Amino acid sequence: MVSRKEIRDQKLKETKEKARETRKLKKENRKKERQLSKQGKTTKKRFDEMERYRRTEKVLTRAIIIVSLLLIIVLVFAFYG
């Protein structure tokens, strides 16, 4: 019969092993990308990178608009309320 502590320790080992694997994979990907970059090539598509920036820009623009509208509402209540 397996105790709770042993189960917890096993899960902890598994999570550490997964984290180690992902770090190793990221490191290899970065290394490969740098080597390709030196050759003037890349594995990433420019379109995908630009799409990510566009999505971020849209979210930030919406946030700015919402905050500015809230500020206008607060100012209207402050001066006329």
Side-chain angles (χ1 to χ4, degrees), residues 22-32:
T22 56
R23 282 195 305 267
K24 188 176 180 182
L25 187 63
K26 280 185 180 181
K27 185 177 179 182
E28 290 173 3
N29 286 342
R30 268 190 261 123
K31 191 174 184 180
K32 183 180 175 185

Side-chain angles (χ1 to χ4, degrees), residues 2-49:
V2 182
S3 68
R4 290 182 192 169
K5 184 177 180 183
E6 292 172 352
I7 294 172
R8 186 182 63 209
D9 290 343
Q10 182 66 24
K11 285 183 181 180
L12 185 62
K13 276 186 179 180
E14 289 174 2
T15 55
K16 283 184 179 182
E17 186 64 32
K18 284 181 185 178
R20 191 177 297 124
E21 294 276 331
T22 56
R23 282 195 305 267
K24 188 176 180 182
L25 187 63
K26 280 185 180 181
K27 185 177 179 182
E28 290 173 3
N29 286 342
R30 268 190 261 123
K31 191 174 184 180
K32 183 180 175 185
E33 186 67 32
R34 272 193 237 117
Q35 288 174 348
L36 288 173
S37 178
K38 287 179 182 179
Q39 298 171 2
K41 301 176 183 176
T42 183
T43 59
K44 297 179 182 177
K45 291 185 178 180
R46 183 172 177 82
F47 178 77
D48 294 337
E49 290 294 314

